[in-house]
Amino acid sequence: MKQPTTFKSIYTLFSVLLVGQVFLAVVIAFLIPELEIDNVLRFTQRSMIVLATLVGAGLASFLVYRRRIKQGASLTGLPVKLEHYRASNIIRWAILEGVNLLIIVIAFLEIYPRMLWFLAPGLAIFLRTSPSKEGFINDYQLTAQEQSELG
């Protein structure tokens, strides 16, 4: 029997994805020789590409999520809406995490530690997508009965 989706499971998934990104970045930071602090704010061509990709991923995840919640608001029943919300967030997080992992991989493969500085805004965008009951209620236009079922 399939376990019903709960808000706790959605938040646990978000937390695991976030911790995984941070853990991998810390490990890579220790594997790359001396983290150079000088010229951190100097933008190279590589930096501009990563920055554009990061902004594009943030925008893409926002647009995909908005399109999906429009579809989800027309669904009936809390379990169906909650499952749709979970799937919508997984898609959103996959886009954002993909770019963050790309930043980490580029920093490691090219031995370019300054690239890890771009992880900060990437993680900030990821944190901004944290699941919340209030967001779910507003995005999916839950009825009073569905809100009481949610708890």
Side-chain angles (χ1 to χ4, degrees), residues 95-122:
I95 294 168
L96 296 173
E97 186 176 27
V99 173
N100 288 344
L101 293 177
L102 179 67
I103 292 168
I104 294 169
V105 168
I106 289 171
F108 180 67
L109 292 178
E110 297 197 10
I111 309 171
Y112 190 62
R114 284 182 272 176
M115 189 63 65
L116 291 176
W117 288 100
F118 285 104
L119 196 58

Side-chain angles (χ1 to χ4, degrees), residues 25-130:
V26 168
V27 168
I28 294 300
F30 280 109
L31 291 176
I32 296 175
E34 289 298 313
L35 194 63
E36 301 168 15
I37 302 296
D38 60 322
N39 296 326
V40 169
L41 297 177
R42 191 184 71 173
F43 283 103
T44 63
Q45 183 179 8
R46 209 175 334 181
S47 301
M48 295 304 287
I49 291 170
V50 168
L51 184 60
T53 304
L54 189 59
V55 170
L59 183 62
S61 74
F62 174 79
L63 293 174
V64 167
Y65 181 74
R66 286 288 160 205
R67 188 184 62 170
R68 286 195 50 91
I69 63 170
K70 281 183 183 176
Q71 297 167 350
S74 64
L75 298 173
T76 55
L78 182 64
V80 175
K81 287 183 178 182
L82 198 53
E83 187 61 38
H84 191 271
Y85 178 71
R86 178 181 171 273
S88 299
N89 275 309
I90 289 173
I91 293 168
R92 178 189 211 185
W93 297 332
I95 294 168
L96 296 173
E97 186 176 27
V99 173
N100 288 344
L101 293 177
L102 179 67
I103 292 168
I104 294 169
V105 168
I106 289 171
F108 180 67
L109 292 178
E110 297 197 10
I111 309 171
Y112 190 62
R114 284 182 272 176
M115 189 63 65
L116 291 176
W117 288 100
F118 285 104
L119 196 58
L123 288 174
I125 294 169
F126 191 85
L127 279 169
R128 181 72 178 92
T129 65
S130 175

